[in-house]
Amino acid sequence: MERRECDILIIGSGIAGMSAAIHASHLSKGKLRVCLVSKLHAMRSHSVSAEGGISGVLYGSENNDSPDMHAYDTVKGSDFLADQDAVEILVKNAPKEIEFFDHIGVPWSRTGKGSISQRPFGGMTIPRTAFAADKTGFFMMRALYDELLSYGNVEILHEHYVTSMLVKRGKFICAYAVNLADRSGKVLSAKSCIIATGGYGRIFNFTTTAHSSTGDGVALAYNSGLPLKDMEFIQFHPTALVPTGVLITEAARGEGGYLLNAKGERFMERYAKSKMELAPRDIVSRSIITEIQAGRGILHEESGLSHVLLDLRHLDPEVIDEKLPMVKELTMKNINVDPHNEPIPVRPGAHYTMGGIHVDVHGRVFLDEKRSVAGLWSAGESACVSVHGANRLGSNSLSECAVWGRITGTEAARHAMSAGQNSALDAKSIGDFYGEEDEKIYELLNGSGSVNPYKLRDEMHGIMEKHMYVYRKVGGMKEAKKRLAKLYSMSKSICIEDKSTVYNTNFRDALEIKSLIALAYVATSCALERKESRGAHAVVEHSERDDRKWLKHTIAVKRGDSVGMYYSQVSITKWKPEKRVY
Amino acid sequence: MTNRIWVFMTYGSIVGIPAMASLFVLAHYLFPGIAYVFEALLALALITNFITGMREIYIVSKPIPDKLVVEPVSHVPAEATQRGQGKAVNIVISRFNPDRGIIEKKEYSVAADKYTSVLSALIKVKNYQDNTLSIRYSCGMGICGSCGMNVNGRPSLACETNLLKSAENGKVEVSPMLAHPVMKDLVTNFDDFFEKHKAVSPHIYKEDAGEKYGHGGISRQSREDLVKFLPFSYCIMCGLCLDACPVENTNPNFAGPQALSQVYRYAEDSRDGKGEKRIEMVNSKDGIWGCEFAGACSEVCPKGVDPASAIQLLKAKKIGQMLDPNYCQGEKSGADGI
């Protein structure tokens, strides 16, 4: 049995995971043994794809902004489902994080005076999104990775996939990881563990997320019996490029881009008169689909997808070249369209999952309704704190990752410094756990399964695109749940064709697809129960928000093969729910 | 492999001449008083570089190692499971078989439209024709740096390479990068590459670490200062430049274009406190002076980083230091402590 013992285990290497690793290391002055596990090369996590920027009030006295205004925008954007105590933590700490990223080398776009530029973003009343051209997430990732290399106490395990986690007697004990290079398994035991594995956008086919956004950490928690929160809330980004689904940043509209229908009308006038294209994403996405359903969309012949147009032709050419270079790069390379001269075909695509592992404002993972797991945190998209509620505002995700990366890293370090050694009881559990996991993987590779994982995944995609997209219908969700339940049971008898021990991606894909199907099933089950429309969850039959019955978080727990559900209160501090008009 | 030898040479002259010219302009700007001396030295250095570079390139390139016997193409027929309509394109994949230690060429047929990238075609092959194919990929939008490989012999990001445009007579050849050890099929090992990057201390240095982690305040950085290093910060660590580099392919100790470009990136950042001492770290035969200015790295970089220029600029900076009357060998401090 190969066993790695460390003080802090961090699963996932995006902005949240690497921030946690850095702050834990800094706090302990490089003494704690930190192990960062990534199923990719650590610097390649999906955070690199974040484009538009990171929100935070930097120069409030100059532009009449304040953390309270940022908080209000966020709460209103969330359709009042966000926990306001968490939102206050976010807005208070976000500026500090932007400053930290300045110190570690992010090439922020600058004003003529040399201060950090900020641009308008959807649902934000004041330009408060700091950016580094339109590759903000990428630059933050590179800065974090490079900074992390300066710490000798951090071991990075590239391309290791965590298949399972042992939580016993209310405490995190260890995790089991498979090294993709040679498929060997190892047990990673730690005093503290942080799950920062990102979202599960890949339950959809037309998505802006990376192929690797498969919700592995969320499924890990779910399979360990830990509660998930608000899984039905999935954000569809209004401007995913047709036909590839690649993200065209909201910054394109922040810098002045228009959305046009087939008639050439700026249709947002009908849906959000004051904010127009810069209304929150759920509203813009619904508006686009409404236009398409009313026959004012444009059919893309090769893919069969209907779309609208994102028009940047009226912008100063320099704005595109300097502030939106990646938009141009992507449209040129993907569809051979130059945004200077031609409008860009776009439609809503799955982009961000508001739901995730149920954590408190410190990022501590809940064990049940009241207690939390000792030594276990989650941060970033894999966690649901919740600061985004039913709909996230653009550029709040990077701040969330940075803020809770630091909070959980700091907490995990303090815990590790004060916690004692593992007990003999734990040692026995670890031995048993290793044996069981080893056997499970042997079984998966050599068992009698006959189901092709890619076929299962395609079927899931078909169901999700049809019934769980921007508008949902009760009947459709019922049908989806029934069919997903079947896929879920089929996912237990997957067949892996590739028996190789070296870089076996067939094996990894199978594990990812199992995670995805479980999460698609949970999301659909939760969605079916919520009989209202709030934020990204729009039900045709229940088109109004219902605060009396549904101002509450959905909590989902694994109960055998079905999903157990209960609800928890929304924390409201300063902002009472009101009608959401833009 | 002969094709690639000539490719390097052509790249060298395309990138080299304008780069040399721009260095001369730079010299005038930086050292107006002694520009002529500087120019002469620089020209000498670059010409020597060119000549030695060309000779090196003539003599050696990275052949496929002897043990990697290339097997004949085996035809895998297109299957009914193919998705979508469009033109049929045959992809010939050089697959490294780790059990047998050889490369086996296999041919697959996929349906492609004008939007199909090489990566999406490979994923189709994996999902619907041959589940055993190994590919490394993630974002699909040219920013994570996972899917570097050779497409028709040219180091490329598969997700950014259009399949139909790459097809010659309905055929596209795909093979793994060879400057990195091959693991399986198209997947290569990046351990050495990451070590080389780490070895140049690629992070902002501050005398007082508290400034970094405490409240040093947001720095002021002018746009002029930003553009000095911005082009070099676009590096996505895909490893293509190493695959193209003739020096890297013959001297495994060479720091390589990726790491060297990052030295320049951090040295030029106004927020960095280590400044010119960074150059000392790579002031060696396996560092900047190992570069023979073939320019292949810049030619293949999918993000326009231009490592070749970064390295020549580092050389110019070093020569500038040496021409400084106050420069003294004894005083120079090493890389330690960065």
Side-chain angles (χ1 to χ4, degrees):
Chain A
M1 171 170 102
E2 192 185 342
R3 182 173 165 190
R4 199 69 62 94
E5 218 175 324
C6 54
D7 295 308
I8 303 179
L9 172 66
I10 297 170
I11 309 172
S13 59
I15 290 175
M18 289 210 278
S19 292
I22 285 173
H23 291 295
S25 302
H26 177 70
L27 184 79
S28 73
K29 299 195 171 62
K31 288 209 180 70
L32 289 174
R33 292 162 302 165
V34 177
C35 181
L36 182 81
V37 189
S38 176
K39 70 170 176 175
L40 308 167
H41 287 147
M43 79 298 289
R44 313 205 193 283
S45 295
H46 180 50
S47 297
V48 292
S49 300
E51 298 177 18
I54 171 169
S55 62
V57 179
L58 294 182
Y59 308 104
S61 55
E62 286 167 36
N63 60 359
N64 293 322
D65 200 3
S66 71
D68 262 8
M69 288 167 75
H70 184 189
Y72 172 73
D73 288 347
T74 303
V75 170
K76 186 177 172 189
S78 81
D79 220 346
F80 296 90
L81 191 67
D83 285 320
Q84 297 180 8
D85 49 351
V87 173
E88 290 190 53
I89 294 175
L90 175 82
V91 298
K92 185 172 149 253
N93 291 292
K96 190 169 83 183
E97 296 305 331
I98 298 174
E99 188 186 319
F100 174 65
F101 280 94
D102 179 39
H103 296 163
I104 62 171
V106 169
W108 297 117
S109 294
R110 303 276 173 168
T111 65
K113 286 187 289 180
S115 45
I116 296 176
S117 296
Q118 291 186 290
R119 63 168 44 129
F121 240 70
M124 301 275 188
T125 44
I126 287 178
R128 62 168 79 90
T129 299
F131 59 98
D134 51 358
K135 294 191 175 184
T136 315
F138 162 74
F139 284 126
M140 289 170 70
M141 281 290 289
R142 273 305 308 277
L144 281 173
Y145 177 72
D146 284 358
E147 180 67 13
L148 196 58
L149 294 179
S150 70
Y151 285 98
N153 62 309
V154 180
E155 184 187 18
I156 303 176
L157 296 180
H158 297 290
E159 301 193 319
H160 279 61
Y161 185 99
V162 174
T163 61
S164 189
M165 175 170 82
L166 180 64
V167 173
K168 229 173 173 181
R169 295 176 292 279
K171 181 176 127 183
F172 170 83
I173 312 273
C174 66
Y176 182 93
V178 179
N179 182 356
L180 203 54
D182 59 7
R183 225 183 59 211
S184 61
K186 53 170 84 78
V187 160
L188 307 163
S189 56
K191 294 168 186 161
S192 307
C193 173
I194 301 169
I195 301 174
T197 51
Y200 45 97
R202 279 276 154 186
I203 57 176
F204 287 85
N205 181 35
F206 188 73
T207 171
T208 64
T209 60
H211 290 277
S212 53
S213 292
T214 53
D216 311 278
V218 183
L220 195 64
Y222 182 68
N223 289 330
S224 308
L226 302 176
L228 308 181
K229 180 159 65 187
D230 292 340
M231 293 290 286
E232 64 271 38
F233 294 103
I234 294 153
Q235 177 165 81
F236 297 91
H237 195 290
T239 59
L241 186 67
V242 173
T244 54
V246 158
L247 172 67
I248 301 299
T249 174
E250 185 166 310
R253 284 170 284 137
E255 298 294 348
Y258 298 152
L259 284 172
L260 305 178
N261 63 15
K263 292 176 164 175
E265 299 165 325
R266 280 181 75 188
F267 58 84
M268 281 311 295
E269 206 176 355
R270 282 196 274 278
Y271 310 95
K273 218 172 173 56
S274 70
K275 284 274 179 188
M276 295 294 284
E277 281 87 355
L278 284 179
R281 289 172 178 171
D282 58 331
I283 294 174
V284 181
S285 284
R286 277 195 294 277
S287 308
I288 293 175
I289 296 300
T290 307
E291 287 295 305
I292 290 174
Q293 285 174 349
R296 293 190 289 271
I298 300 156
L299 182 72
H300 185 267
E301 273 182 29
E302 282 87 349
S303 64
L305 295 170
S306 294
H307 61 85
V308 294
L309 297 170
L310 173 64
D311 191 356
L312 307 182
R313 288 174 296 183
H314 57 287
L315 299 185
D316 183 348
E318 269 182 26
V319 170
I320 298 181
D321 293 339
E322 275 174 31
K323 294 181 171 174
L324 304 166
M326 192 166 175
V327 168
K328 187 176 166 187
E329 193 183 328
L330 288 170
T331 55
M332 291 294 290
K333 285 182 176 166
N334 275 271
I335 58 170
N336 199 21
V337 161
D338 182 349
H340 290 293
N341 311 323
E342 270 181 88
I344 306 166
V346 292
R347 77 181 255 123
H351 179 64
Y352 185 89
T353 45
M354 271 72 74
I357 302 171
H358 183 24
V359 298
D360 65 13
V361 293
H362 306 287
R364 285 187 297 227
V365 175
F366 276 99
L367 179 66
D368 50 32
E369 288 184 53
K370 291 206 173 66
R371 294 173 299 162
S372 45
V373 183
L376 186 63
W377 291 261
S378 181
E381 195 178 345
S382 61
C384 180
V385 181
S386 137
V387 286
H388 309 307
N391 173 62
R392 173 172 74 78
L393 289 190
S395 75
N396 266 353
S397 59
L398 293 186
S399 9
E400 186 207 1
C401 287
V403 168
W404 270 275
R406 186 193 289 250
I407 291 175
T408 55
T410 308
E411 286 235 339
R414 292 209 176 106
H415 178 82
M417 287 190 279
S418 63
Q421 288 303 313
N422 279 326
S423 65
L425 202 60
D426 292 340
K428 184 174 178 309
S429 317
I430 291 173
D432 294 346
F433 172 70
Y434 181 88
E436 279 166 31
E437 282 313 304
D438 227 22
E439 202 159 302
K440 260 194 239 167
I441 285 169
Y442 181 85
E443 194 51 37
L444 180 63
L445 279 155
N446 303 301
S448 56
S450 58
V451 180
N452 182 294
Y454 305 102
K455 282 200 179 127
L456 267 191
R457 182 203 56 194
D458 288 354
E459 224 169 292
M460 170 190 72
H461 281 162
I463 297 169
M464 297 305 281
E465 295 286 348
K466 188 165 175 204
H467 299 301
M468 286 287 286
Y469 192 47
V470 173
Y471 282 111
R472 297 163 179 179
K473 288 183 182 153
V474 174
M477 287 188 284
K478 268 188 191 152
E479 158 89 12
K481 186 182 170 185
K482 204 171 91 192
R483 288 177 59 197
L484 285 166
K486 202 173 146 218
L487 295 187
Y488 183 59
S489 73
M490 284 166 78
S491 72
K492 287 173 187 163
S493 41
I494 277 180
C495 165
I496 295 170
E497 292 267 326
D498 192 349
K499 306 293 177 197
S500 170
T501 51
V502 184
Y503 213 88
N504 185 338
T505 47
N506 189 200
F507 166 68
R508 189 208 52 206
D509 291 350
L511 294 169
E512 290 179 346
I513 289 166
K514 279 163 82 96
S515 297
L516 285 173
I517 289 176
L519 298 179
Y521 180 55
V522 176
T524 309
S525 305
C526 296
L528 183 58
E529 290 306 311
R530 185 174 280 274
K531 296 178 181 64
E532 64 158 354
S533 287
R534 182 187 296 272
H537 177 65
V539 185
V540 175
E541 290 87 343
H542 310 285
S543 60
E544 293 298 314
R545 193 176 84 197
D546 182 353
D547 287 334
R548 203 170 52 83
K549 284 189 193 149
W550 288 103
L551 184 56
K552 56 190 181 183
H553 299 293
T554 311
I555 310 291
V557 195
K558 189 171 192 293
R559 299 255 184 271
D561 275 359
S562 60
V563 186
M565 259 175 263
Y566 55 92
Y567 294 88
S568 81
Q569 265 197 330
V570 175
S571 150
I572 292 173
T573 57
K574 290 185 186 163
W575 301 279
K576 297 273 172 288
E578 58 187 34
K579 204 162 168 22
R580 187 168 170 251
V581 184
Y582 287 95
Chain B
M1 289 317 301
T2 27
N3 277 344
R4 286 181 69 186
I5 299 172
W6 285 101
V7 167
F8 293 140
M9 275 191 57
T10 333
Y11 292 164
S13 40
I14 292 170
V15 182
I17 292 160
M20 205 179 340
S22 58
L23 280 178
F24 285 2
V25 175
L26 191 78
H28 270 286
Y29 175 71
L30 286 176
F31 316 102
I34 48 162
Y36 292 108
V37 183
F38 185 73
E39 273 178 16
L41 274 170
L42 199 59
L44 197 68
L46 287 174
I47 290 164
T48 323
N49 232 320
F50 252 131
I51 296 166
T52 52
M54 279 158 80
R55 201 191 59 235
E56 285 276 342
I57 296 162
Y58 264 123
I59 299 168
V60 274
S61 80
K62 177 125 181 172
I64 294 181
D66 288 342
K67 59 172 186 167
L68 305 185
V69 184
V70 178
E71 287 225 327
V73 173
S74 66
H75 287 274
V76 176
E79 282 181 23
T81 48
Q82 270 185 24
R83 311 249 145 165
Q85 314 128 340
K87 269 176 119 168
V89 175
N90 287 352
I91 309 185
V92 181
I93 309 176
S94 291
R95 299 183 57 175
F96 178 68
N97 179 334
D99 297 330
R100 300 174 66 196
I102 57 168
I103 283 180
E104 300 161 336
K105 282 195 179 186
K106 289 215 168 131
E107 188 164 340
Y108 303 87
S109 176
V110 290
D113 60 31
K114 62 179 175 182
Y115 305 108
T116 309
S117 65
V118 171
L119 178 64
S120 57
L122 289 171
I123 294 175
K124 267 191 193 177
V125 168
K126 177 175 180 64
N127 288 183
Y128 308 119
Q129 295 184 40
D130 188 342
N131 291 175
T132 68
L133 178 67
S134 286
I135 329 156
R136 182 187 276 130
Y137 62 94
S138 177
C139 76
M141 56 193 278
I143 193 77
C144 77
S146 299
C147 63
M149 58 185 70
N150 281 301
V151 179
N152 292 336
R154 187 192 161 91
S156 315
L157 283 185
C159 69
E160 286 194 340
T161 309
N162 186 284
L163 188 73
L164 287 184
K165 280 188 194 156
S166 312
E168 289 159 18
N169 300 324
K171 195 180 265 192
V172 174
E173 296 225 18
V174 180
S175 58
M177 293 189 279
L178 286 174
H180 312 273
V182 196
M183 292 166 78
K184 184 183 175 228
D185 296 338
L186 296 166
V187 179
T188 55
N189 184 316
F190 270 62
D191 292 352
D192 290 347
F193 176 73
F194 292 155
E195 278 307 313
K196 284 180 176 178
H197 174 72
K198 187 178 175 180
V200 298
S201 298
H203 32 79
I204 298 278
Y205 176 82
K206 298 253 191 232
E207 201 72 47
D208 171 16
E211 217 183 298
K212 213 176 198 175
Y213 287 85
H215 287 263
I218 292 170
S219 56
R220 296 244 163 212
Q221 188 168 51
S222 69
R223 286 177 179 166
E224 291 73 28
D225 280 343
L226 175 66
V227 296
K228 281 185 193 161
F229 73 94
L230 183 65
F232 304 99
S233 63
Y234 283 116
C235 170
I236 58 172
M237 300 184 74
C238 61
L240 292 175
C241 55
L242 262 75
D243 197 49
C245 173
V247 182
E248 184 69 39
N249 278 286
T250 50
N251 173 15
N253 296 324
F254 179 46
Q258 190 274 337
L260 293 174
S261 71
Q262 296 310 293
V263 172
Y264 188 76
R265 178 252 174 270
Y266 280 102
E268 284 298 294
D269 193 323
S270 60
R271 296 165 294 189
D272 184 48
K274 208 67 186 177
E276 295 183 342
K277 286 176 187 166
R278 285 191 183 272
I279 302 173
E280 290 311 322
M281 221 174 354
V282 287
N283 178 27
S284 65
K285 216 170 137 264
D286 292 331
I288 46 177
W289 305 107
C291 168
E292 291 168 358
F293 208 0
C297 52
S298 299
E299 178 64 27
V300 301
C301 177
K303 300 291 122 181
V305 171
D306 202 353
S309 284
I311 301 170
Q312 309 327 308
L313 287 165
L314 286 169
K315 287 179 184 169
K317 267 176 171 281
K318 185 64 212 168
I319 296 173
Q321 277 178 14
M322 287 156 70
L323 289 176
D324 185 343
N326 299 322
Y327 179 80
C328 166
Q329 276 300 103
E331 261 180 31
K332 80 169 188 196
S333 62
D336 312 329
I338 283 199

